[in-house]
Amino acid sequence: MNVHEKLAILADAAKYDASCASSGSKSTRPGSRIGSTEGMGICHSYTPDGRCVSLLKILLTNYCIYDCQYCVNRITSDVPRARFSTDEVVRLTLEFYRRNYIEGLFLSSGIIQDANYTMEHLVAVARTLRVEHGYGGYIHLKTIPRASGELIAEAGRWADRISVNIELPTEHDLVQLAPEKKRSDIEQSMTDIKVRIDAQRDDRQAGFSAPPFAPAGQSTQMIVGATPTPDADILATAHHLYSRRKMRRVYYSAYSPIPHADARLPAQTPPLVREHRLYQADWLLRFYGFQLEELVTPAKPNLDLDVDPKLAWALHHREQFPVDVNRADREMLLRIPGLGVKTVDRIIVSRRHRTLRADDLRKLRVPWSRVQHFVATADHKPRSQLLECPQLVRKLHPKVSSRQLSLFAEA
Ligand code: SF4
């Protein structure tokens, strides 16, 4: 099989992995001769949820000894198989990089023989790129739970970002669909990575010249919609990973039906908008001061697909609006549908100098047609009963098929 045939198989096999944003790496490695993580000569293309689309995203191999039911590469799947050598991945990365097709490499793999054997091969690619070719571009390596500490240390030394997939939202889901994987192993790997990231940061802060360890942090991916697990549990797991394992990002990946799938798996992919709502809720929890129980409750454990979670919260708390933008604290300003973090910060700076009017908000690039119902300014005082008006509520509830409301103001 030639390299192009392998590439067709192994790039296709990697498309199910969503956890490959390249954000976070701020500078090119010192002493490198090719490749840059900065913006020159390569196009960084981020989707609104932060994914970068300019990586060579491949598997080292799609052979796998595991039988995760949701995965097209599981041992019982009859897909065509292929395996790259270290040199083939290195050559492809450098060639694509030189042609400016990619910003970097995202490399994952099915599990061959065992965790250490697989990890050795992943690390060899990164090491060869960095040491033999002086490659300074972005590398994201997937790490394998239960791989040795030495291999994880070396992976973090050469890669900008490393990740371990949490796979499914709950331990119960994992037992059902991926019995060879253990939640405790996955979380232990995440903890080991976190400890190394923290140690490296502490050494640097103390003035020691410590070798780099995954400067863009660690991320993970969670498949949603493969089991009936509701958004409340998905977001609770994400919250746990952000707070306890210091994840840089949790990626939500809608389950894609695969050929000859287990009968317990759904026949259809969940609506894409569910993924989008989860990202919006994730953002609210991390940057907007929302608590999980404000977005999902035992009585309503799934996010509303028709309306973004911030607007849904506002419509359930109409008594808190309109918010006086000249007086409200930052926390309350962040709860106004249509206002993003940057816009809120601009409002706070501007109101120190003058009492804000509607025109001032427009000049601050506030999406006025949406925000006007929720804010009061010196010259604009909407009646709070306006939010009860059925036409207004309909206007703020666009159908899923129409353009989705943006949680993140174009700031
Ligand atoms: S270990 Fe990874 S590649 Fe192998 S079957 Fe499970 S999800 Fe697929």
Side-chain angles (χ1 to χ4, degrees):
M1 191 182 285
N2 66 35
V3 172
H4 285 102
E5 288 163 338
K6 291 183 187 180
L7 187 59
I9 292 173
L10 295 171
D12 189 65
K15 73 184 177 196
Y16 299 98
D17 205 314
S19 60
C20 63
S22 73
S23 49
S25 203
K26 296 219 167 31
S27 60
T28 302
R29 290 180 176 237
S32 49
R33 298 191 296 277
I34 181 173
S36 165
T37 56
E38 293 170 285
M40 289 175 296
I42 189 87
C43 174
H44 290 77
S45 179
Y46 295 100
T47 58
D49 59 28
R51 291 183 218 180
C52 176
V53 293
S54 62
L55 301 177
L56 172 59
K57 181 178 168 186
I58 48 174
L59 298 188
L60 191 64
T61 178
N62 64 342
Y63 289 103
C64 189
I65 57 171
Y66 282 13
D67 199 23
C68 309
Q69 293 304 306
Y70 47 84
C71 177
V72 72
N73 302 318
R74 68 192 188 281
I75 192 168
T76 52
S77 174
D78 61 358
V79 291
R81 307 281 178 170
R83 178 174 172 179
F84 279 129
S85 67
T86 303
D87 283 349
E88 285 170 336
V89 179
V90 167
R91 230 174 23 247
L92 276 174
T93 306
L94 295 175
E95 282 173 14
F96 279 25
Y97 198 93
R98 287 191 179 104
R99 289 175 195 164
N100 212 10
Y101 292 168
I102 56 163
E103 172 198 7
L105 170 69
F106 170 85
L107 186 62
S108 182
S109 182
I111 298 176
I112 342 157
Q113 289 188 24
D114 58 31
N116 281 340
Y117 182 83
T118 311
M119 202 65 226
E120 273 167 24
H121 286 78
L122 292 169
V123 167
V125 170
R127 187 196 311 119
T128 307
L129 279 167
R130 296 288 191 221
V131 178
E132 288 183 24
H133 297 278
Y135 174 78
Y138 181 81
I139 298 179
H140 179 158
L141 282 189
K142 189 61 59 118
T143 60
I144 313 291
R146 286 191 290 212
S148 76
E150 290 74 28
L151 285 166
I152 297 298
E154 203 182 347
R157 175 159 189 199
W158 307 126
D160 296 276
R161 173 168 286 184
I162 51 182
S163 57
V164 187
N165 281 353
I166 192 78
E167 305 288 3
L168 294 167
T170 67
E171 188 158 10
H172 175 76
D173 293 338
L174 210 56
V175 170
Q176 297 298 308
L177 297 179
E180 290 135 317
K181 289 188 170 170
K182 300 234 167 343
R183 184 64 166 264
S184 54
D185 290 338
I186 295 170
E187 290 221 31
Q188 186 58 51
S189 294
M190 291 171 170
T191 304
D192 293 347
I193 293 168
K194 172 188 172 298
V195 167
R196 288 174 195 278
I197 291 172
D198 289 349
Q200 198 265 356
R201 187 205 51 221
D202 291 349
D203 279 354
R204 294 229 156 169
Q205 281 175 354
F208 300 120
S209 87
F213 185 88
Q218 66 168 324
S219 60
T220 192
Q221 168 180 266
M222 201 182 325
I223 298 167
V224 301
T227 61
T229 301
D231 295 342
D233 291 346
I234 293 168
L235 290 169
T237 296
H239 180 66
H240 164 77
L241 295 174
Y242 283 124
S243 56
R244 305 297 297 274
R245 309 283 175 245
K246 292 278 185 305
M247 278 302 134
R248 193 69 71 91
R249 286 297 300 272
V250 174
Y251 292 91
Y252 307 97
S253 175
Y255 166 71
S256 285
I258 49 175
H260 315 299
D262 185 286
R264 291 169 294 177
L265 289 161
Q268 288 187 327
T269 195
L272 199 58
V273 71
R274 184 178 182 198
E275 228 183 80
H276 187 59
R277 296 287 177 244
L278 284 166
Y279 279 115
Q280 290 177 315
D282 178 297
W283 225 256
L284 291 181
L285 295 170
R286 289 194 293 147
F287 304 118
Y288 287 71
F290 280 80
Q291 301 300 313
L292 183 59
E293 47 290 355
E294 293 181 286
L295 305 177
V296 279
T297 61
K300 199 168 177 303
N302 286 306
L303 297 165
D304 193 332
L305 295 184
D306 289 340
V307 60
D308 81 54
K310 193 181 191 188
L311 179 56
W313 180 87
L315 291 172
H316 281 108
H317 295 84
R318 296 169 200 218
E319 74 287 352
Q320 307 229 20
F321 297 93
V323 172
D324 184 343
V325 294
N326 286 299
R327 293 169 183 274
D329 58 21
R330 186 173 185 274
E331 195 181 24
M332 195 58 216
L333 291 174
L334 285 171
R335 289 179 175 243
I336 298 170
L339 290 194
V341 173
K342 283 186 188 164
T343 311
V344 164
D345 290 341
R346 280 202 294 261
I347 287 172
I348 290 170
V349 170
S350 301
R351 74 186 185 183
R352 286 190 200 127
H353 305 287
R354 64 161 106 168
T355 304
L356 297 176
R357 304 170 70 82
D359 257 0
D360 296 321
L361 292 188
R362 289 192 193 97
K363 283 184 209 155
L364 291 171
R365 283 176 274 155
V366 165
W368 183 247
S369 62
R370 177 153 188 233
V371 167
Q372 59 178 316
H373 312 293
F374 297 98
V375 298
T377 64
D379 59 341
H380 171 77
K381 310 246 183 272
R383 287 176 296 114
S384 53
Q385 299 91 316
L386 206 61
L387 283 178
E388 303 295 339
C389 163
Q391 288 91 333
L392 175 65
V393 173
R394 262 203 304 280
K395 194 170 146 197
L396 293 171
H397 268 280
K399 291 281 169 248
V400 177
S401 55
S402 64
R403 184 176 172 271
Q404 288 168 15
L405 293 176
S406 173
L407 169 68
F408 315 107
E410 287 83 36

